[in-house]
Amino acid sequence: MKLYYAPGACSIGIHTLLEEIGKPYETERVDLRQGAQHQSAYTAVNPKSKVPTLLRDDGSVLTEYPAIAYWLARTNPYANLLPDDIDLQARVLELTDYVVATIHMQGFGRLIRPSGFGPSAADEDAVKARGREIVERGFALLDQALAGKDYAVGQFSFADTAIFYIEFWSQRFGITLPPNCAAHLQRMLARPSVQRMLQQEGLA
Ligand SMILES: N[C@@H](CCC(=O)N[C@@H](CS)C(=O)NCC(=O)O)C(=O)O
């Protein structure tokens, strides 16, 4: 198995899941700043030009954070990345989708690349302000979901690694996390899997 990743990108969540699973895997760094995601060597693997991408042992490629996380959890049940209870499974998917599709793509997306969301450079401040609003509202909702719990659905799951990657990003964008998210981030940073991932990506 091989994970294509970029240091500090949303792929840190999948990288953490691979460390939780503990089976051998390879990694290949994709230099997003240099545009490696658009070069043929990479688009031959993932034509969407995004990380994370997982190359599986049968040679097939899986993309999209929730799909990769779900597949890793189901194929490695001993790692307990997805609860058995169907209602809790639905909650894990609900939270993961909200993190990826809304907080990341709609919120952080506007902060990372405002030019993708507005017709001219003059719109950039307004685009970024809207991005910040979406992110802050997202963290407020996640804070409620985490109230009284160590992990988002009461036990560790792949929803936590999704929440973790945006919590990790909040530091870079000067976003103050509400208290339950701040505590969740610290809890995640204390996990050996996260520490190994940070070390491997040169982020420790
Ligand atoms: N919907 C994708 C989003 C992945 C994504 O946006 N990845 C970013 C890094 S966090 C990326 O590869 N960006 C490169 C680019 O847009 O050029 C997923 O769920 O995996």
Side-chain angles (χ1 to χ4, degrees):
M1 212 151 44
K2 188 200 273 189
L3 173 69
Y4 292 83
Y5 78 103
C10 55
S11 42
I12 60 174
I14 300 296
H15 198 168
T16 299
L17 292 176
L18 288 168
E19 283 297 322
E20 290 280 339
I21 290 165
K23 286 182 183 163
Y25 63 93
E26 294 171 54
T27 55
E28 186 165 323
R29 181 180 170 152
V30 181
D31 193 336
L32 299 182
R33 290 210 179 104
Q34 295 295 320
Q37 71 273 36
H38 301 296
Q39 286 162 15
S40 57
Y42 190 66
T43 56
V45 180
N46 181 357
K48 296 175 188 167
S49 295
K50 301 280 184 198
V51 293
T53 296
L54 191 69
L55 174 62
R56 297 181 288 187
D57 289 341
D58 67 358
S60 67
V61 164
L62 195 58
T63 63
E64 303 298 328
Y65 193 104
I68 298 171
Y70 178 79
W71 182 81
L72 286 173
R74 290 300 306 269
T75 52
N76 298 282
Y78 67 89
N80 290 319
L81 303 172
L82 187 64
D84 290 334
D85 179 84
I86 292 177
D87 196 54
L88 289 182
Q89 290 184 1
R91 295 288 173 208
V92 170
L93 293 169
E94 180 184 44
L95 284 159
T96 303
D97 189 64
Y98 184 56
V99 166
V100 176
T102 300
I103 307 179
H104 171 181
M105 302 309 297
Q106 296 296 326
F108 280 103
R110 282 176 165 79
L111 295 173
I112 294 165
R113 194 175 305 137
S115 59
F117 291 85
S120 74
D123 297 323
E124 288 204 357
D125 286 346
V127 168
K128 282 187 181 172
R130 177 71 189 124
R132 190 167 283 267
E133 237 172 62
I134 294 169
V135 168
E136 286 174 351
R137 174 162 169 69
F139 278 128
L141 291 175
L142 292 178
D143 207 57
Q144 287 172 21
L146 283 163
K149 294 180 214 148
D150 282 354
Y151 295 108
V153 301
Q155 65 186 82
F156 181 76
S157 74
F158 66 73
D160 294 291
T161 61
I163 296 171
F164 164 69
Y165 85 70
I166 54 162
E167 288 170 342
F168 189 76
W169 285 356
S170 70
Q171 304 168 318
R172 203 195 320 161
F173 290 93
I175 290 162
T176 304
L177 291 175
N180 298 324
C181 291
H184 180 260
L185 173 60
Q186 291 312 313
R187 211 167 284 124
M188 290 298 295
L189 288 170
R191 289 184 80 88
S193 59
V194 171
Q195 290 171 8
R196 288 193 297 270
M197 176 280 292
L198 293 173
Q199 196 75 41
Q200 288 167 26
E201 296 204 8
L203 302 168

